[in-house]
Amino acid sequence: MSQHRHPGAPDRAAGAVPALPDLPEATVARLPEYLRALHNLADTGHETVSSEGLASAAGVNSAKLRKDLSHLGSYGTRGVGYDVTLLIEQIEYVLGLTQRRAVALVGVGNLGHALAGYDGFASRGFRIAALLDADPARVGEEISGLVVQHVDDLPRIAAEESIAIGVIATPAAAAQRVADQLVAVGVTSILNFAPCVLSVPEGVDVRKVDLAIELQILSFHEHRKASLTALPATGGSALTALPGGLAATDTQEAIGP
């Protein structure tokens, strides 16, 4: 665990907030949800919030929330709850949002256009510093105040803009080459919207967003709910046919563990 503390990190009862604690990945994944809920609370004039109130706003249970925040050294005050402003500062510090990180977006098709115009990045600590594409027809186009540049100019742009994060919104066939280009200029954090798995060196973090996969997961839940409502009301075993001629006598068995 790092013992270095950012000079702007918030204090708690005159003591320093733990600097960059070793957080479980599941906790890291939930911190942005807490931060979103806290910003909403602050915008509506709330100065404090109970663990139950914050957990409900973030969509988790309160015990899990209290454990997550304890990793940050934040325990709230009995009968009062958490100080909203202080907790925002703590979470933003741990997430590295005390500085605006420069982002390069590669691929300005339909999805890239939408991402380039999303104003939520700026309000959450990120700056779209460059738009890039390999299509000469796209180069020179202006989107949300930025001119699209050729992806081959990435080395110069990465140096000039201090690019911290690369976002890939290209077709799958081009994504690996773009990832290689990003890694080659020193980018070690990549958000991948292309429907493929990227191969990157150790030390490079990749987050994958695949909307089709999320829809397929929702489709499974819809299918499961429909199959449950179709079961006989008598409570007897229902034979569920599976592709390939297999069968199971129970919905759980039919879909596997």
Side-chain angles (χ1 to χ4, degrees):
M1 180 184 300
S2 171
Q3 297 300 311
H4 296 287
R5 179 173 177 268
H6 189 282
D11 289 339
R12 181 177 62 85
V17 170
L20 303 182
D22 294 323
L23 300 178
E25 283 297 319
T27 295
V28 174
R30 287 188 289 267
L31 289 181
E33 294 293 340
Y34 302 152
L35 187 59
R36 175 192 54 78
L38 287 163
H39 275 295
N40 289 339
L41 288 166
D43 290 343
T44 53
H46 291 79
E47 296 183 355
T48 61
V49 62
S50 67
S51 59
E52 290 78 9
L54 181 54
S56 176
V60 303
N61 67 63
S62 57
K64 184 176 294 183
L65 177 137
R66 286 192 294 269
K67 183 175 181 180
D68 286 341
L69 297 185
S70 70
H71 290 299
L72 278 60
S74 186
Y75 300 92
T77 302
R78 184 177 296 276
V80 176
Y82 295 94
D83 182 301
V84 170
T85 299
L86 175 60
L87 195 50
I88 286 174
E89 292 174 352
Q90 290 176 323
I91 294 176
E92 286 185 342
Y93 171 60
V94 169
L95 290 178
L97 301 179
T98 53
Q99 56 181 302
R100 288 170 63 82
R101 298 188 183 277
V103 176
L105 171 60
V106 186
V108 291
N110 292 335
L111 177 58
H113 265 270
L115 292 172
Y118 176 55
D119 59 8
F121 293 131
S123 64
R124 291 297 182 265
F126 301 94
R127 175 176 65 92
I128 301 296
L131 303 177
L132 304 104
D133 204 287
D135 184 355
R138 296 279 190 185
V139 175
E141 181 180 353
E142 184 173 329
I143 305 173
S144 300
L146 285 175
V147 175
V148 177
Q149 303 179 72
H150 198 281
V151 68
D152 288 345
D153 292 330
L154 182 58
R156 171 184 58 80
I157 295 167
E160 291 177 352
E161 299 291 347
S162 300
I163 299 298
I165 298 172
V167 176
I168 298 176
T170 66
Q176 183 61 58
R177 183 172 64 86
V178 170
D180 293 342
Q181 290 175 292
L182 288 168
V183 171
V185 299
V187 174
T188 58
S189 295
I190 297 173
L191 180 62
N192 179 31
F193 283 90
C196 63
V197 176
L198 299 177
S199 176
V200 296
E202 186 176 354
V204 176
D205 294 302
V206 176
R207 298 286 297 180
K208 187 173 185 296
V209 181
D210 192 321
L211 301 181
I213 285 178
E214 298 303 323
L215 288 172
Q216 288 170 339
I217 292 171
L218 288 174
S219 176
F220 158 76
H221 290 293
E222 284 298 305
H223 183 62
R224 182 174 182 274
K225 285 182 287 188
S227 67
L228 288 175
T229 57
L231 289 176
T234 58
S237 295
L239 188 64
T240 304
L242 296 175
L246 301 176
T249 58
D250 176 273
T251 301
Q252 176 71 18
E253 293 173 343
I255 62 175

